[in-house]
């Protein structure tokens, strides 16, 4: 029979039949039952290994098909390098960014254009630089620099984005974890830390379609984070990384409350630094990044920036503004991304549902946007699941990667990134994943 997409090893498996159905409750299973399951699963696993698969669901990046949606960027200037205000974008200067590019940032972050600074191709770089300013130079003069005040700690909702944790680790900042819930970080824990520990100087956030859980912070969570500036140390800064601000899979995906508006109401504008980029809108390696901040924060940031550059790549800013001239163009482009991503997410979620809905083997959120599905296995199983999957030809993000210092204390979280493989490849990879979760869980229960 021809393979569905002509690629080797991409036809789905039906491993869940091993249990005569999908029910699997380890907490109540007898030792005898577990031994039988283990033997069936080991057999299924060996059959999978024999297929010589080579699949990868680790990469949180756009597929080539998605990148191609923005290929019109190339050549769009057609030798016209002038911005709307006459700026020759080929030349030096323009530390704030072109006015129309600040407008694009304003569209993404729902803040006034005057609050936006346009950077280079990476919001992560802006976040690193924002931490650099806070750590060495201070947003309110040299005395306010974090380095002057002993131990510096950051609140890290977990599971979270590994590169955020690498930024704080690079500065020697101590990371204090709080659990992510379905409505955002556990705010009781966050508030209690901020009130009780003056060494807390910052907090990471991915507020819409969080990396990796996919949750959208509730209005109440956003409001409570905006209010932290009232009780925190004056040099405390919320890092609000809105990387997936417009990356919904469906039109009815939950909206995110506007933290800028709440901060304005509460007088806490200085406590929040916002970030976004077009990395997962246009070309991930050649996009445009944005930061939004209060006038005081922007002034301090630009002082650092002007010592390190004469200005950003304004040609690319102009290309992006021509390619995405308004909200309607942005929506149309994001709808095309969603059309490519949605079936991939649906495949992951339906495989998880089919295998684990009626079990005590794991839990997960159902993201309505973003790039990830986060799976919590039974405690102590994540490393073994990832190892088993790798040996069956399916590469998963290393267990622990979603926690500071790469250490998941419960060894249970696994991040699944379905954007790059085809739907058939994802289906096969998920079938392998399911067998590995079951096998690792049963073996753990048996003490193997
Ligand atoms: C939450 C989050 N922030 C930032 C980034 C990177 O953004 P950029 O390409 O703008 O540096 C990613 C990429 O995966 C991400 O998941």
């Amino acid at each position: 029979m021809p393979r569905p997409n002509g690629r080797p090893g991409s036809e789905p498996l039906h491993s869940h039949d091993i249990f005569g159905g999908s029910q699997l409750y380890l907490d109540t299973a007898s030792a005898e039952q577990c031994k039988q399951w283990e033997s069936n699963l080991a057999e299924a696993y060996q059959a999978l290994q024999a297929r010589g698969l080579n699949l990868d669901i680790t990469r949180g990046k756009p597929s080539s098909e998605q990148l191609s949606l923005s290929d019109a960027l190339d050549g769009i200037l057609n030798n016209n390098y002038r911005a709307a205000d006459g700026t020759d974008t080929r030349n030096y200067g323009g530390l704030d960014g072109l006015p129309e590019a600040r407008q694009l940032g304003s569209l993404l972050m729902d803040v006034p254009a005057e609050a936006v600074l346009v950077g280079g191709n990476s919001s992560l770089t802006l976040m690193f630089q924002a931490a650099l300013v806070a750590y060495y130079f201070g947003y309110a003069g040299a005395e306010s620099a974090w380095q002057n005040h002993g131990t510096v700690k950051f609140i890290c909702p977990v599971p979270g984005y590994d590169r955020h944790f690498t930024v704080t680790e690079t500065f020697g900042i101590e990371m204090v974890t709080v659990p992510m819930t379905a409505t955002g970080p556990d705010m009781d824990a966050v508030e209690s830390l901020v009130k009780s520990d003056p060494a807390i100087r910052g907090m990471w956030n991915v507020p819409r379609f969080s990396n990796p859980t996919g949750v959208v912070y509730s209005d109440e969570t956003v409001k409570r984070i905006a209010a932290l500036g009232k009780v925190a140390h004056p040099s405390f800064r919320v890092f609000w990384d809105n990387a997936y601000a417009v990356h919904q899979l469906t039109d009815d995906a939950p909206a995110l409350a506007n933290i800028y508006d709440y901060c304005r109401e509460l007088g806490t504008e200085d406590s929040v630094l916002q970030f976004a980029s077009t990395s997962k809108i246009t070309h991930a390696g050649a996009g445009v990044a944005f930061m939004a901040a209060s006038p005081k924060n922007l002034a301090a940031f630009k002082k650092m920036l002007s010592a390190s550059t004469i200005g950003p790549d304004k040609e690319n800013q102009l290309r992006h503004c021509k390619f995405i001239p308004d909200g309607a163009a942005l929506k149309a482009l994001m709808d095309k991304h969603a059309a490519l991503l949605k079936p991939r997410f649906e495949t992951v979620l339906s495989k998880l549902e089919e295998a684990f809905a009626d079990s005590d083997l794991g839990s997960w959120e159902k993201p309505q946007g973003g790039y990830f599905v986060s799976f919590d296995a039974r405690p102590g199983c994540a490393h073994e699941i990832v190892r088993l999957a790798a040996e069956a030809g399916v590469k998963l993000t290393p267990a622990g990667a979603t926690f500071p210092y790469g250490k998941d204390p419960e060894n249970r979280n696994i991040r699944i990134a379905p954007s790059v493989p085809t739907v058939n490849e994802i289906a096969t990879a998920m079938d392998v994943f399911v067998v590995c979760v079951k096998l690792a869980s049963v073996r753990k229960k048996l003490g193997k």
Side-chain angles (χ1 to χ4, degrees), residues 67-399:
L67 296 169
S68 297
L69 297 173
S70 300
D71 286 351
L73 280 167
D74 191 16
I76 202 168
L77 297 185
N78 200 19
N79 290 328
N80 181 3
Y81 294 97
R82 298 272 169 189
D85 65 357
T87 300
D88 186 340
T89 59
R90 294 170 300 183
N91 223 326
Y92 275 140
L95 207 59
D96 289 304
L98 296 175
E100 53 266 62
R102 296 175 87 187
Q103 204 64 53
L104 179 58
S106 136
L107 190 64
L108 283 180
M109 293 188 281
D110 203 7
V111 295
E114 310 83 74
V116 177
L117 177 135
V118 191
N121 73 330
S122 163
S123 61
L124 192 68
T125 301
L126 290 174
M127 290 176 238
F128 186 92
Q129 291 172 320
L132 185 85
V133 171
Y135 199 92
Y136 289 108
F137 309 113
Y139 281 99
E143 178 42 34
S144 70
W146 292 343
Q147 66 169 349
N148 296 328
H149 303 275
T151 305
V152 178
K153 297 184 189 171
F154 240 68
I155 298 175
C156 301
V158 289
Y161 178 37
D162 54 349
R163 289 182 185 273
H164 283 166
F165 303 148
T166 306
V167 169
T168 23
E169 193 176 352
T170 303
F171 285 93
I173 293 170
E174 201 178 299
M175 291 180 270
V176 184
T177 60
V178 298
M180 270 298 262
T181 74
T183 55
D186 174 342
M187 286 309 297
D188 290 342
V190 169
E191 285 163 353
S192 135
L193 275 167
V194 165
K195 282 180 195 156
S196 65
D197 190 347
I200 300 281
R201 291 303 152 86
M203 175 180 178
W204 286 117
N205 292 279
V206 183
R208 192 162 193 237
F209 311 127
S210 178
N211 178 350
T213 62
V215 307
V216 178
Y217 288 16
S218 69
D219 291 5
E220 196 207 329
T221 299
V222 176
K223 202 172 205 166
R224 287 170 77 177
I225 292 176
L228 291 175
K230 282 187 132 6
V231 288
H233 188 278
S235 67
F236 172 83
R237 292 292 180 276
V238 168
F239 281 55
W240 196 252
D241 176 4
N242 216 340
Y244 303 107
V246 293
H247 301 59
Q248 60 273 359
L249 295 173
T250 52
D251 282 339
D252 57 2
L256 178 70
N258 190 320
I259 196 161
Y260 180 88
D261 290 346
Y262 283 141
C263 287
R264 287 275 292 257
E265 272 168 36
L266 296 163
T268 55
E269 301 96 308
D270 288 341
S271 69
V272 177
L273 304 169
Q274 298 197 53
F275 306 91
S277 78
T278 65
S279 290
K280 285 166 186 129
I281 297 175
T282 58
H283 288 174
V288 178
F290 307 93
M291 173 175 169
S294 70
K296 202 159 115 184
N297 288 336
L298 277 186
F301 189 85
K302 281 197 290 183
K303 195 170 170 207
M304 174 280 302
L305 200 59
S306 66
S308 63
T309 179
I310 310 173
D313 177 353
K314 298 180 298 305
E315 288 181 30
N316 199 31
Q317 292 182 13
L318 190 58
R319 266 182 226 120
H320 276 76
C321 296
K322 289 202 184 294
F323 185 61
I324 308 172
D326 52 30
L330 179 62
K331 169 83 171 69
L333 179 56
M334 294 320 292
D335 283 351
K336 288 183 197 159
H337 282 288
L340 293 167
L341 289 171
K342 205 165 162 234
R344 290 167 160 87
F345 273 80
E346 280 169 357
T347 304
V348 171
L349 293 172
S350 69
K351 290 286 180 185
L352 292 177
E353 186 76 22
E354 196 183 317
F356 302 124
D358 202 1
S359 85
D360 56 7
L361 294 195
S363 57
W364 62 97
E365 300 286 340
K366 292 183 187 136
Q368 294 186 59
Y371 267 66
F372 306 102
V373 177
S374 167
F375 182 81
D376 277 327
R378 288 168 72 89
C381 291
H383 275 287
E384 179 60 5
I385 293 166
V386 172
R387 187 191 69 79
L388 286 170
E391 290 187 6
V394 174
K395 202 168 163 206
L396 294 168
T397 306

